[in-house]
Amino acid sequence: MASEYLLADNYSNSSLELLSKSQIIVSSVILCAAMLLALIGNSLVIIVIIRSRSLHTNAGLLMANLAVADFLVGLVIMLPTLIAFIYRRNIYPRVLCVCQGSIITILVGASTVTILAITTDRFISIFLSLRYNSLVTTGLILSTIAFSWLFASAASTIPLLGLERFGLGRYEYLEGMSYCWLDPAAVDQNKSIILLIAFYVCFEIFIITTCYLIIFVYARQSVRTVKTLSVGSIPKGHPKITKTTKTVLIVVGVFMFCWIPSLVNKFLIVFNVKTLPLAVRLLFTWLTFFNSAANPIIYGIFNRNFINGLRRLFKKSMSERSIIVSMSERRSFRSFRRRSLSVSNFRRSLVQMRKSNTIQDVHLPQSNTLEVPDVPVRKSKSTEGLFKSRRRNIVIHSALSEVPIEVEEVY
C-alpha cells in the first residue's frame, strides 16, 4: 500500500504495526515544532537570565538549570528522533544508541529533579519567608543543581552494568518510537528499572501536587483574611502569593499532563494489562518531550521578571543597532561633505577669495584634472581656517555640470 508504511515495533508481540502516511506527516510536524520551541525558547531563557540582574536569584538559577536541560533534550533527543522517524529505520550504531539512552535518562532526570527543587524553593519562600535567606542560600542552590545532574547520571549508569538478568535494564533501539531507551516489552530485562523510574516519577508528582495544594489553600485563606480586614476598596489578594501560585501551578499542571499518560502506558505494558496502538503510544511518549518545549513558554508568559528582562534585551539590541547605523550614516555624511564639494561651489569660493585679494589668479583649464600650485597665502581670517599653512593637492574630476572634488588629505 502506497499510503501506509510498515514500522517495526518492539512493544507488541506481532512486531509490526501500520502507520498511515498522514499520521507520519502529522507526527513529524508536531515533533519538529516541539523541537524548535525547545531550542529557541530555552536558549532565550538562558540568554535573558544571564543578561538580567533581576533574575540573578535562587529561582533564576533553578530556571537556568531547567532551561539547559530542556535545551539539550531538544538538541540531543528530539533532533535524532525526528531524523530516525522520518527515515523509518535505525540510524544509530550500537555505541551511539547506548549513549543516547543514557543521555535521555540524564536529561530527563535532571529536568524532573529541578522542577522538584523549584517547587521546594517556592514552598519555603512562602511559608518560611522570614528565614528564607538563611535557609536557602546560593551555595545550597548550586549544590542542588549539582545533585540533580549527579543523581540522574548515577541512574543512567544502571543499565550499563550488564545486570539485565536482574531486570535492571538494557538500552535498545525502539523502532516504533525511533529512539534508544529501555524497552518496556522486554519485561524480564527491564521490568525492575522501569518500575523504579515510574515510582520515582509518581512520588515526585505526589510531592509537587501536595506542595502546591497547600500553597493554593494558604493563598485562598490569605485573600479572605485581607478582604475581611480591609476597609473601603477590597484588594485582590497578596500579589506575591497570587503570582507564585498561578505560575508554578501551571508549570506543575503541564508537567503532570505530559508525564502521567506515559507512566500509565508503561504500567499497562509492564503488567501485561493492555497494549495501546502505536499512534497513541507515540503521542504519550512525545508528550514527555513536549514538556521541555512548554516550560520556556510558561515562564515567558507568567513570569514578570522574565518578561521585563526579555523586553530590556530587545530594547538594548535595537538601541545598539540604531546607534551603529546612525554612527555609520553620520560618518558617511561627514565624508561626503569633505570629499564631495561641487565645482560650482569651488569656483565661487575662488572668486570670493580673489575679490578679498587673499589669493592669486587661478585659471581652470578644460582638462580632467587640475593640480593647484603653491600660492602665497596671507594670514587672514577668511583663509587661515581653510588653508592652514600647508599645501593641498586637490584633484578635480570634471563631468557634466556638477562634479565632486576629492581631497586627498584633510588636516
Side-chain angles (χ1 to χ4, degrees):
M1 285 179 279
S3 62
E4 293 180 340
Y5 296 96
L6 287 174
L7 289 179
D9 181 24
N10 295 359
Y11 282 17
S12 63
N13 296 327
S14 62
S15 74
L16 288 177
E17 284 191 23
L18 291 175
L19 277 183
S20 65
K21 185 176 180 180
S22 59
Q23 288 176 332
I24 292 177
I25 293 175
V26 172
S27 301
S28 301
V29 171
I30 293 174
L31 185 58
C32 183
M35 180 190 68
L36 292 177
L37 284 175
L39 293 175
I40 298 174
N42 288 290
S43 60
L44 274 177
V45 170
I46 296 171
I47 293 172
V48 171
I49 292 175
I50 292 175
R51 301 289 295 271
S52 301
R53 290 184 175 273
S54 61
L55 293 173
H56 293 177
T57 59
N58 295 336
L61 290 174
L62 293 174
M63 285 174 55
N65 187 60
L66 181 62
V68 169
D70 291 339
F71 176 83
L72 293 177
V73 167
L75 183 64
V76 180
I77 300 177
M78 293 188 190
L79 181 59
T81 301
L82 178 63
I83 296 173
F85 184 77
I86 292 175
Y87 280 96
R88 303 182 306 281
R89 62 184 178 86
N90 185 3
I91 63 173
Y92 308 97
R94 176 59 188 167
V95 176
L96 292 181
C97 184
V98 172
C99 290
Q100 190 195 38
S102 180
I103 290 173
I104 288 175
T105 306
I106 293 173
L107 296 180
V108 174
S111 179
T112 54
V113 173
T114 305
I115 291 178
L116 182 60
I118 292 174
T119 304
T120 307
D121 177 73
R122 293 299 89 198
F123 187 86
I124 295 175
S125 67
I126 290 176
F127 289 96
L128 299 173
S129 57
L130 297 178
R131 299 176 57 192
Y132 176 80
N133 292 329
S134 60
L135 293 175
V136 184
T137 61
T138 304
L140 180 62
I141 295 296
L142 294 177
S143 300
T144 304
I145 293 173
F147 171 78
S148 68
W149 292 97
L150 292 175
F151 173 77
S153 300
S156 69
T157 58
I158 295 177
L160 302 177
L161 301 177
L163 301 176
E164 57 267 16
R165 63 182 180 275
F166 300 105
L168 294 180
R170 173 184 171 87
Y171 294 124
E172 293 179 353
Y173 178 72
L174 310 179
E175 296 188 15
M177 303 291 106
S178 301
Y179 66 91
C180 295
W181 202 58
L182 304 171
D183 185 6
V187 177
D188 294 333
Q189 67 180 15
N190 295 321
K191 181 177 182 179
S192 299
I193 187 68
I194 289 179
L195 287 177
L196 285 175
I197 294 174
F199 281 119
Y200 161 73
V201 177
C202 290
F203 173 75
E204 185 175 3
I205 291 176
F206 172 76
I207 295 297
I208 293 173
T209 306
T210 303
C211 288
Y212 283 107
L213 282 176
I214 296 174
I215 292 174
F216 180 75
V217 172
Y218 176 74
R220 293 291 299 271
Q221 290 178 353
S222 300
V223 171
R224 291 174 182 174
T225 303
V226 171
K227 287 182 178 180
T228 304
L229 299 177
S230 62
V231 179
S233 60
I234 299 177
K236 295 183 179 180
H238 198 290
K240 180 180 178 181
I241 296 176
T242 303
K243 185 183 71 173
T244 302
T245 305
K246 183 187 299 184
T247 300
V248 193
L249 274 178
I250 293 175
V251 173
V252 175
V254 173
F255 178 78
M256 295 175 61
F257 172 77
C258 293
W259 276 96
I260 288 179
S262 179
L263 291 175
V264 172
N265 178 44
K266 296 295 190 297
F267 281 121
L268 292 177
I269 294 173
V270 170
F271 292 106
N272 295 322
V273 177
K274 184 179 181 181
T275 301
L276 300 176
L278 176 59
V280 177
R281 296 199 303 274
L282 274 175
L283 176 62
F284 288 172
T285 302
W286 289 356
L287 275 177
T288 60
F289 297 162
F290 181 75
N291 181 241
S292 299
N295 285 334
I297 299 176
I298 296 171
Y299 286 125
I301 294 176
F302 295 100
N303 193 317
R304 184 174 301 175
N305 290 331
F306 177 81
I307 293 177
N308 294 333
L310 188 62
R311 287 176 180 173
R312 285 194 298 268
L313 180 63
F314 278 110
K315 287 181 180 179
K316 186 175 181 180
S317 61
M318 293 299 294
S319 63
E320 290 177 352
R321 182 180 178 184
S322 62
I323 289 174
I324 293 173
V325 172
S326 62
M327 288 178 63
S328 61
E329 290 178 351
R330 194 175 302 173
R331 191 179 296 112
S332 62
F333 178 73
R334 289 176 179 175
S335 176
F336 175 79
R337 290 289 301 271
R338 289 178 179 179
R339 295 176 176 268
S340 301
L341 296 172
S342 63
V343 171
S344 60
N345 293 336
F346 180 72
R347 288 178 175 175
R348 191 179 301 113
S349 64
L350 291 179
V351 171
Q352 292 176 356
M353 285 186 289
R354 181 184 176 187
K355 290 181 179 180
S356 61
N357 296 324
T358 57
I359 191 170
Q360 294 180 357
D361 293 338
V362 176
H363 300 282
L364 296 176
Q366 298 299 323
S367 60
N368 290 334
T369 61
L370 170 67
E371 181 173 310
V372 179
D374 286 333
V375 180
V377 180
R378 299 177 183 177
K379 291 186 178 180
S380 62
K381 295 183 180 180
S382 61
T383 59
E384 186 175 5
L386 184 62
F387 299 102
K388 297 178 178 178
S389 72
R390 285 197 178 185
R391 178 186 176 188
R392 290 175 173 80
N393 294 325
I394 303 175
V395 181
I396 303 175
H397 302 275
S398 57
L400 299 178
S401 59
E402 296 284 330
V403 288
I405 297 174
E406 296 187 357
V407 181
E408 293 181 356
E409 284 187 304
V410 179
Y411 294 92

